[in-house]
Amino acid sequence: MNNPDRVAEATRLRVQAVIDRLDFVPNRPAADLRSGRSRMVALVVPDIANPFFAEVARGAVAAAAEQGYVVVLCSSDGDPAKEDGYLELLDEQRVAGVLINPVGNAPGRLSRMRDHGTSVVFVDRAARASEFCSVAVDDVRGGELAAELLLRRGARELVLINGPLALRQCADRRKGARRGIERLGLPSSTLVEFRTLSMTIQPGVEAAERMLKEIPHPRSVFCTNDLLAIGVTRWLAKAGVSVPEQVEVVGYDDIEIAAEAPIPLTSIRQPKYELGRTAAELLVRDIEEGPAHRHQRVVFQPHLVERDSTMDATPDVTSAHPGRQVGVPTPA
Amino acid sequence: MNNPDRVAEATRLRVQAVIDRLDFVPNRPAADLRSGRSRMVALVVPDIANPFFAEVARGAVAAAAEQGYVVVLCSSDGDPAKEDGYLELLDEQRVAGVLINPVGNAPGRLSRMRDHGTSVVFVDRAARASEFCSVAVDDVRGGELAAELLLRRGARELVLINGPLALRQCADRRKGARRGIERLGLPSSTLVEFRTLSMTIQPGVEAAERMLKEIPHPRSVFCTNDLLAIGVTRWLAKAGVSVPEQVEVVGYDDIEIAAEAPIPLTSIRQPKYELGRTAAELLVRDIEEGPAHRHQRVVFQPHLVERDSTMDATPDVTSAHPGRQVGVPTPA
DNA sequence: ATGAAAGCGCTAACAC
DNA sequence: GTGTTAGCGCTTTCAT
């Protein structure tokens, strides 16, 4: 049945007939038990409904499917206890591997699972290459891209609307903005930062209000995510400041509504799908190469999507609604 | 090990010590194979990243967890072939049950799976009660709620911005609007419908443009989803028509950005989480009751969430930002 | 209260 | 090319 070509045609047909008649469905867990192999892997993320992870999941599922693997989706709700519960479950289920964006200090359990023979790949989080494979996106470079775009016309200040620095993304994107400023030979005082407690629309509105009190005529604002940016543009509109003529605004993440906002938003896009694909490919390699496998770190480059919230850098090209992509994703 | 109380304390401790020392993890598939039972169920939906299904999933996962079951998430991407692939996989994995919002004509395979002993519950889609359990939301009632709200001030026309009637939701919500009009003793010509090909922001913008050409001074607009409504309000703003003073607008689904829109949107909320919970509860009942199980249909009632895009029906109550809920969810 | 034995559905290794 | 066999890790039953 599993090697249809190694069997006489007549027998094959006879078997097939019986399969159809009895409506036979093979018992996969039994097969896996016997063969000691499984083609099931898991993706564990804080929130599968988050567009970022949803797209990562698509990529991972597609790549896994190509290699004959299936992916089960686990959403830990950002709760370390739930995450650990899922990992325990997956361990018991004897999945062949796990793709994970850990929220808790999962490494302990993950190390044990790996010692059991379960492959592990970190997603959107760099891991020590000696321990696990990992795929991530270069957030520092993303911040740099935003800063370079905003400062290209000679603005003397760059406002950064940022979330909690405890989030690696926020810290990295700020570092990138700083680096961009440095590269252009501007003083570090060019960067003026306003911090929010959470990264949603309303805090963005409030941050913009604070900003205008301190800096009545900002030229350029970099928000470390799109929701903040939408909040900022909303307040600017209310205050009668026109975007992009008076202020240019750049967001981050390129979520779906960035293109659909009242003023379509220039943003930094992360290669989410590719992130998922690559993670799954690494995982399958890890699984199939066994102990011989050498872990590796892959870092993707983000790229700029220019829309109406910034002015055309190259006025001879029409800014299309879906956004022109500048730069190319580069696995490193 | 599975009945720690039926064993001498000393032995229990000795066993536990060995478990810890060897880092032993029980093999669940092997246990299931032997016992012929499984506590794994699946949720198959067109798009797990869709906020509606994401919330359904949360409810289902929570309810299942309470009963000791785990839920694996499958996103069929609205592709009948992928859906069927997942069902085949789940059949082979010998899951105990399946929660499904079918996109293809899955009933054939589902009937076979049920005959194999796999329980099946339809989600957000009524099933013939003789075949499967099902949970759904009353979209007709939702349309009626919207129409009643919009017509309460004596408007003589109700504009309906609707998607393709091929979608049951669109057809049902329209039917509800009609029923509302009828209830109020108004002529059926009160309803003026504009149709879009898809239910996103841009088609909403375009529909609003068409609407204003035909009806220069609409009083009330009901959009059969929130994205259409956001598009509509965007065009109205551009055209200088004020919401809600000149036109009241009601959306549907109460997605997250409905509350975050420039004009927070009045919408119809569906009890998504409860839908998932109830579906999972029915599924577990089906699984555990075995062949004795009687299938049942559960229908939830949607409710109105009033925000700034409609005027206060009861001016003495402050319209809070998160929205006042009118009406109570009612399993029927 | 504990141990021994059978067997769930399948695959791999071997003989025919 | 085809049939036979042992055994994956566990639960269940039965004997001690």
Side-chain angles (χ1 to χ4, degrees), chain B residues 112-160:
Chain B
R112 263 180 294 138
M113 286 179 70
R114 190 214 31 215
D115 297 344
H116 276 190
T118 310
S119 298
V120 174
V121 171
F122 277 42
V123 177
D124 195 37
R125 158 87 116 255
R128 298 214 318 275
S130 54
E131 283 235 285
F132 303 105
C133 282
S134 67
V135 294
V137 181
D138 189 345
D139 277 310
V140 176
R141 176 66 187 141
E144 200 179 340
L145 284 172
E148 282 172 353
L149 178 74
L150 287 169
L151 295 172
R152 75 195 183 289
R153 290 177 188 276
R156 307 196 49 90
E157 109 292 305
L158 173 63
V159 177
L160 178 69

Side-chain angles (χ1 to χ4, degrees), chain A residues 36-97:
Chain A
R37 180 161 36 90
S38 155
R39 291 181 162 283
M40 189 162 99
V41 300
L43 171 65
V44 183
V45 295
D47 179 13
I48 190 62
N50 173 322
F52 179 83
F53 290 116
E55 196 58 21
V56 169
R58 267 195 227 301
V61 168
E66 281 171 19
Q67 315 239 32
Y69 285 75
V70 298
V71 180
V72 325
L73 271 27
C74 304
S75 197
S76 63
D77 290 343
D79 176 352
K82 275 191 194 167
E83 177 180 84
D84 194 64
Y86 274 119
L87 289 176
E88 181 167 0
L89 178 84
L90 294 168
D91 205 3
E92 292 186 358
Q93 290 290 345
R94 295 295 190 271
V95 296

Side-chain angles (χ1 to χ4, degrees), chain B residues 24-322:
Chain B
F24 169 83
V25 179
N27 184 320
R28 184 70 117 270
D32 290 347
L33 172 60
R34 176 59 239 235
S35 67
R37 179 163 34 89
S38 154
R39 290 181 162 285
M40 189 162 99
V41 301
L43 171 66
V44 184
V45 294
D47 178 13
I48 190 63
N50 173 322
F52 179 84
F53 290 116
E55 196 59 22
V56 169
R58 267 195 227 301
V61 168
E66 281 171 18
Q67 316 238 27
Y69 285 75
V70 299
V71 180
V72 323
L73 272 28
C74 304
S75 197
S76 63
D77 289 342
D79 176 352
K82 275 191 197 168
E83 178 179 84
D84 195 64
Y86 273 119
L87 289 176
E88 182 168 358
L89 178 84
L90 294 168
D91 205 2
E92 293 186 356
Q93 290 290 346
R94 296 295 191 271
V95 296
V98 174
L99 301 167
I100 184 169
N101 178 256
V103 300
N105 56 341
R109 178 181 284 279
L110 290 173
S111 302
R112 263 180 294 138
M113 286 179 70
R114 190 214 31 215
D115 297 344
H116 276 190
T118 310
S119 298
V120 174
V121 171
F122 277 42
V123 177
D124 195 37
R125 158 87 116 255
R128 298 214 318 275
S130 54
E131 283 235 285
F132 303 105
C133 282
S134 67
V135 294
V137 181
D138 189 345
D139 277 310
V140 176
R141 176 66 187 141
E144 200 179 340
L145 284 172
E148 282 172 353
L149 178 74
L150 287 169
L151 295 172
R152 75 195 183 289
R153 290 177 188 276
R156 307 196 49 90
E157 109 292 305
L158 173 63
V159 177
L160 178 69
I161 309 286
N162 203 1
L165 289 183
L167 297 177
R168 182 193 48 74
Q169 288 88 336
C170 293
D172 282 1
R173 289 164 196 180
R174 177 169 81 154
K175 188 190 285 182
R178 284 232 180 88
R179 182 178 298 175
I181 287 167
E182 212 171 279
R183 282 264 170 86
L184 292 167
L186 296 170
S188 68
S189 61
T190 303
L191 192 77
V192 183
E193 183 172 13
F194 294 85
R195 207 74 59 68
T196 64
L197 294 175
S198 71
M199 303 180 74
T200 51
I201 293 177
Q202 197 50 38
V205 173
E206 289 154 15
E209 191 176 359
R210 280 186 283 145
M211 169 183 75
L212 284 190
K213 281 204 187 107
E214 282 194 39
I215 305 174
H217 300 294
R219 287 272 304 274
S220 54
V221 180
F222 170 34
C223 305
T224 52
N225 89 0
D226 288 341
L227 293 178
L228 287 175
I230 287 169
V232 166
T233 55
R234 190 170 296 171
W235 179 262
L236 290 175
K238 216 167 261 174
V241 180
S242 66
V243 175
E245 291 78 10
Q246 295 176 274
V247 194
E248 295 189 291
V249 176
V250 174
Y252 207 109
D253 284 347
D254 191 33
I255 61 180
E256 205 183 326
I257 54 169
E260 306 275 16
I263 300 165
L265 191 65
T266 292
S267 190
I268 307 290
R269 178 186 296 175
Q270 317 197 54
K272 315 181 245 291
Y273 185 86
E274 289 72 21
L275 204 64
R277 279 202 74 86
T278 306
E281 284 164 5
L282 284 178
L283 186 66
V284 170
R285 284 241 297 277
D286 190 333
I287 291 167
E288 301 194 339
E289 290 176 1
H293 179 80
R294 301 282 312 142
H295 296 307
Q296 56 188 288
R297 250 192 304 217
V298 175
V299 177
F300 280 88
Q301 296 305 316
H303 47 275
L304 198 54
V305 180
E306 292 189 49
R307 297 202 186 83
D308 302 354
S309 72
T310 53
M311 297 171 72
D312 276 1
T314 48
D316 53 283
V317 180
T318 313
S319 167
H321 197 244

